[in-house]
Amino acid sequence: MTEDEAQSELAALARRLAEANRAYHTRDAPEISDAEYDRLKLRNAALENQFPHLKRVDSPSEQVGGPLAEGFAKITHEQRMMSLANAFDDQDISDFDDRIRKYLGMSSDEELLFTAEPKIDGLSLSLRYEARQLVYAATRGDGKVGENVTANARMIDDIPQTLPDDAPDILEVRGEVYMSHADFAALNEAQAASGGKTFANPRNAAAGSLRQLDATITKSRPLKFFAYAWGVTTAPLADTQFGAIDRLRALGFSTNELTARGSGPAELLQHYKSIETGRADLGYDIDGVVYKVDDLALQARLGFRSTTPRWAIAHKFPAELAWTRLEKIEIQVGRTGALSPVARLQPVTVGGVVVSNATLHNEDYIAGRDSKGQAIREGKDIREGDWVQIYRAGDVIPKVADVDLSKRPAEAQPYVFPTECPDCRSDAVREEGDAVRRCTGGLICPAQAVEKLKHFVGRAAFDIEGLGAKQVEMFYHDDILPVREPAEIFTLRDRDTAAPLQKLKNREGWGDKSASNLFDAIDEKRKIPLNRVIFALGIRHVGESASALLATHYGAWQDFISAMDAAAELDGPAWEDLIGIDGVGSVMAASLVRTFQQEAERASIDRLIAELDVEDVAQPEITDSPVQGKTLVFTGSLEKMTRAEAKARAEALGAKVSGSVSAKTDLVIAGPGAGSKAKKAEDLGVEMIDEDAWIALIDGIG
């Protein structure tokens, strides 16, 4: 897959998953199944792993849950509620085991125990007990902030109001609220008889019942609760995951009796197949099996990614295929100008979900060939009017997998991919070696400009409340208060005040309160961290992770922009320093430098920065670190800790870790097999130590 293909697919995934989050978590009315949602997230994660510099500001991999429902008070989780990475086949489980062993430096013959438990298809809930009394219950929300549903949770029989005397003083118990099949059927029957709302499935019924502003309604609903995890606790529950579940059961919580312990992928898969075989007889919905490293000390070492733990994974059940009519092929233009074809389908239900759109990837895919010109689908092209097979699994949004030529209409014509941008009519050029055709309109292309603005206000960038995709499009096309570049967002209040007519509060869909709230929300984001600013600029190849690396390395906006200017020489110290950042390659570096050297782009960025107070990166509060503020390079093989652990430890002690040796390098840690980096360090006179000396240096620090 090329970068352009990946970029267009990531854009489609972000849009699809954002809407799925709103439907599933906020409205309790999912438009796609849980399995489909998880598989889309898996594809998104796979693309981001392959192309980390393309990670979007609104990346689904950085999101947990969805927007909060209205009417509930908010509760900030003291310890974030995470989601889970997903697996779909046996090889994924072997890879999961291999990744953990590699991270921990464990050999393949060392015993590594896991737990395996059914993944309940319900609504995540966190219960906080203080002095053994239930003080509040909160939904997962977006992982950081959830809805206060304490009164409703007290109505669920499975949730204890008081814990035994041997329980920790503070304990957060986490689990899933669900509804059994029998109770769901009875509820829908009663709802239909009384003329009330019926539910599509037990998960929707459970979520809708828990999210009632009137707790007496919740009390009338047959909700259940399984405990399977914990958050903050003042005393450990056990040394192992399995033991902790036993302890939760002893404290009065319902836990799943199918939870088992196994050693290695073979035993886990055996338990998975056992649960899958008996799935229909469980009496409640599950959508997979969750595996967790059993040893809690190892869980602590493995830690977390941005939204998922490294020590757990959800093995999901398979998806399905369906056939339908492809009614039309439409072209969408992304913020980098990529033309992405989308199939508009006669709606079809696939695995319980109605699908009306599917990705077509690029013009080669439509023509029946891959990026190397080899035939796919036996060379069958895709045409409007075709009878097509839709595939739903861990592979992006639904895609057109095959074509039934026997049902092709006689009048169907080969699809001619446009050579002009459908939005600005500029030439759409496909460069040699590139699978994606791209609009050359740049700043004059409305589609690109709008997509860049949407990126700018996205969740991982400026995240301005009340300024979403719909509002961005409105302001972009507005003649009175236009927003054609990011800086104009921050001049909206002043321009609205100065406007003699058609003030925002007088527009349809707006009022004095909503307009004032928007202006206040914009002003709140004038002070913003450096990494968010870099990411919000939407520079090609610079994703969220790379933005964080750049921010940490340079520390302040002025230092960053000065370095980009100095790096324009492409061969001086500033350039060497830039490409020396671990995780920043020459392609990304060139894109950064090129962006800031373009006159119009630079002027737009300067206008934006003039409206902002960009926060410097806070340095770790470490006073006794011997590597505080120093630049380190690890090279060769490390034998007593993995490279990932060594890097994390160094950064936690206030050091910068670089991928290459330069005159700015302070210390090189060289293991067996160190080659050119060790030689360069020697030539430059940079201090070099072995792994034992490194461990001795940091032992007992931090």
Side-chain angles (χ1 to χ4, degrees), residues 37-194:
Y37 174 85
D38 288 335
R39 286 190 289 269
L40 295 180
K41 288 199 72 171
L42 179 65
R43 174 57 174 174
N44 187 82
L47 287 175
E48 290 178 345
N49 287 336
Q50 186 178 358
F51 303 98
H53 52 284
L54 298 183
K55 190 173 181 180
R56 295 168 57 89
V57 64
D58 55 351
S59 166
S61 66
E62 298 300 328
Q63 299 173 15
V64 175
L68 303 186
E70 296 181 359
F72 292 97
K74 297 178 181 179
I75 288 182
T76 300
H77 298 298
E78 185 173 343
Q79 182 175 312
R80 188 175 182 185
M81 294 186 73
M82 311 293 278
S83 59
L84 291 172
N86 293 326
F88 295 99
D89 56 37
D90 295 0
Q91 184 59 48
D92 289 341
I93 307 309
S94 295
D95 292 344
F96 170 61
D97 182 73
D98 290 343
R99 285 195 303 272
I100 289 174
R101 290 180 181 278
K102 183 177 180 180
Y103 191 95
L104 296 173
M106 294 179 67
S107 65
S108 59
D109 57 357
E110 291 182 73
E111 185 177 61
L112 181 60
L113 291 176
F114 296 87
T115 60
E117 65 190 44
K119 185 177 183 298
I120 311 301
D121 191 10
L123 183 73
S124 297
L125 189 69
S126 180
L127 308 169
R128 185 177 176 96
Y129 294 84
E130 296 179 2
R132 287 159 287 284
Q133 301 295 315
L134 178 63
V135 294
Y136 70 68
T139 64
R140 182 167 64 177
D142 64 2
K144 298 177 182 178
V145 180
E147 299 135 348
N148 186 340
V149 292
T150 307
N152 305 38
R154 293 187 187 278
M155 303 298 170
I156 301 175
D157 291 340
D158 286 345
I159 295 178
Q161 306 299 302
T162 303
L163 299 183
D165 291 341
D166 61 342
D169 289 337
I170 296 176
L171 174 63
E172 288 181 354
V173 177
R174 291 172 173 177
E176 206 83 2
V177 175
Y178 70 101
M179 190 176 289
S180 72
H181 292 161
D183 288 339
F184 168 70
L187 173 63
N188 259 0
E189 185 177 342
Q191 289 289 103
S194 64

Side-chain angles (χ1 to χ4, degrees), residues 335-619:
R335 64 184 173 85
T336 62
L339 272 59
S340 302
V342 177
R344 304 301 184 194
L345 307 169
Q346 178 179 315
V348 59
T349 299
V350 188
V353 177
V354 176
V355 173
S356 57
N357 302 311
T359 181
L360 290 169
H361 300 298
N362 54 51
E363 58 187 290
D364 284 341
Y365 191 82
I366 293 174
R369 56 179 179 263
D370 63 17
S371 59
K372 297 180 180 179
Q374 301 299 311
I376 57 175
R377 299 186 306 275
E378 300 176 341
K380 291 180 286 187
D381 67 334
I382 297 172
R383 305 181 185 185
E384 293 181 342
D386 272 343
W387 190 251
V388 294
Q389 184 185 58
I390 307 303
Y391 175 59
R392 298 176 58 245
D395 211 329
V396 255
I397 62 174
K399 73 176 184 181
V400 174
D402 203 357
V403 178
D404 185 347
L405 295 182
S406 68
K407 294 185 178 181
R408 172 170 283 175
E411 68 276 12
Q413 297 295 315
Y415 181 75
V416 179
F417 206 88
T419 55
E420 284 187 350
C421 172
D423 284 87
C424 70
R425 298 304 171 190
S426 297
D427 289 342
V429 176
R430 182 176 175 181
E431 297 179 358
E432 185 175 352
D434 196 345
V436 174
R437 192 171 293 275
R438 200 175 298 274
C439 168
T440 59
L443 293 175
I444 71 167
C445 179
Q448 291 186 59
V450 168
E451 290 302 316
K452 286 181 179 180
L453 285 169
K454 289 179 182 177
H455 175 91
F456 182 86
V457 302
R459 190 170 182 177
F462 274 72
D463 191 22
I464 299 172
E465 188 172 351
L467 189 61
K470 181 178 178 181
Q471 290 77 23
V472 163
E473 292 185 6
M474 182 203 80
F475 281 117
Y476 182 86
H477 297 290
D478 194 90
D479 293 328
I480 307 299
L481 291 174
V483 173
R484 310 280 165 72
E485 64 172 71
E488 292 182 331
I489 292 172
F490 296 93
T491 63
L492 266 174
R493 187 195 295 268
D494 289 343
R495 288 188 287 137
D496 183 74
T497 301
L501 300 171
Q502 296 190 25
K503 291 182 181 296
L504 186 59
K505 66 181 182 181
N506 298 324
R507 309 280 188 89
E508 183 179 351
W510 294 84
D512 187 60
K513 183 66 174 175
S514 57
S516 178
N517 286 345
L518 175 61
F519 297 146
D520 289 344
I522 291 171
D523 286 340
E524 286 177 6
K525 294 304 172 76
R526 289 182 185 274
K527 186 173 184 178
I528 190 164
L530 175 59
N531 62 300
R532 282 180 172 259
V533 174
I534 296 173
F535 187 57
L537 296 178
I539 299 170
R540 194 176 179 196
H541 305 304
V542 181
E544 188 176 355
S545 298
S547 299
L549 290 173
L550 292 163
T552 300
H553 185 79
Y554 293 108
W557 172 262
Q558 191 53 55
D559 293 335
F560 169 68
I561 195 68
S562 297
M564 296 304 101
D565 289 340
E569 300 176 17
L570 300 184
D571 59 0
W575 173 259
E576 291 296 324
D577 183 50
L578 175 58
I579 63 174
I581 300 172
D582 195 22
V584 175
S586 58
V587 173
M588 185 193 302
S591 180
L592 276 161
V593 171
R594 185 165 54 249
T595 295
F596 290 106
Q597 291 303 305
Q598 292 177 359
E599 186 175 345
E601 189 80 8
R602 178 59 175 272
S604 176
I605 293 171
D606 289 344
R607 286 191 291 272
L608 169 65
I609 298 302
E611 299 289 340
L612 304 177
D613 175 11
V614 183
E615 296 177 292
D616 296 348
V617 176
Q619 296 300 315

